[in-house]
Amino acid sequence: MADKKIQSVCCNILTALCESISPLFVVKRVCNMMFKGQSDQTLTTVVSPIAHQMFLEWLKQIIVDFGISRFAVTTKPTNPTSVVNKTASFVVNSIILLEVDNKVATVRSTSIEIAGLLYMQLGPRLLTMGIIKDDTKAQVKTLLEAEFQKVRL
């Protein structure tokens, strides 16, 4: 995703995979490539900030295109609210909370925008999913709260 020559082709392929399989499946696989496994995501395997920026931009577009409620595909009938909460919780905990502490400002701001997009779709339920924790930096809290306020208007 960091190579500008093939970026649009890569994003189009990933989007087509989301359409044919499921967005959650594709996003999880891309996360596994970007980070070292689901359990230890503090060490990134892809260090290029451009790759992180492009991934977040693509993720933002996927959430707009599919909506957070269609992010998960389940085979059994379940409570749609629990599926939405589980999916949004994955996005919040696995992606946004990692990227919001990135050293590159564009990566941080894009992750904040994704949080705002999730807030627009989920409302105050997003706050119960742990997006703002006790150990969250004051600057990050301020940015998130400002984004949520902007989305409310």
Side-chain angles (χ1 to χ4, degrees):
M1 290 185 134
D3 189 351
K4 292 188 182 217
K5 294 177 187 172
I6 62 168
Q7 172 192 352
S8 64
V9 173
C10 181
C11 289
N12 289 339
I13 289 171
L14 290 173
T15 303
L17 285 171
C18 287
E19 291 171 355
S20 63
I21 301 171
S22 91
L24 184 61
F25 179 85
V26 176
V27 169
K28 280 185 176 183
R29 293 329 173 262
V30 174
C31 282
N32 279 335
M33 290 187 296
M34 298 277 292
F35 305 100
K36 290 185 177 181
Q38 294 293 340
S39 61
D40 184 20
Q41 291 186 343
T42 56
L43 302 172
T44 60
T45 56
V46 177
V47 294
S48 169
I50 296 171
H52 287 261
Q53 173 69 24
M54 293 303 114
F55 166 68
L56 291 172
E57 291 289 341
W58 172 78
L59 178 65
K60 186 167 61 169
Q61 189 58 47
I62 289 298
I63 293 172
V64 167
D65 289 347
F66 292 96
I68 199 68
S69 63
R70 291 212 36 219
F71 225 72
V73 174
T74 57
T75 55
K76 297 184 248 179
T78 59
N79 181 357
T81 306
S82 65
V83 173
V84 169
N85 286 342
K86 184 177 178 186
T87 305
S89 181
F90 164 76
V91 172
V92 166
N93 294 324
S94 299
I95 300 166
I96 295 173
L97 293 178
L98 287 172
E99 297 292 10
V100 81
D101 286 331
N102 198 299
K103 294 177 185 174
V104 180
T106 55
V107 174
R108 283 193 312 265
S109 65
T110 306
S111 65
I112 296 289
E113 289 172 10
I114 292 173
L117 184 61
L118 290 175
Y119 190 84
M120 186 175 11
Q121 293 187 13
L122 296 174
R125 287 188 308 179
L126 182 64
L127 300 175
T128 64
M129 294 177 198
I131 194 162
I132 298 177
K133 298 181 179 183
D134 293 336
D135 61 346
T136 305
K137 296 177 186 174
Q139 179 185 9
V140 172
K141 282 182 184 179
T142 305
L143 289 171
L144 285 169
E145 289 168 357
E147 184 70 22
F148 298 157
Q149 189 64 26
K150 184 169 52 171
V151 169
R152 280 185 211 145
L153 300 176

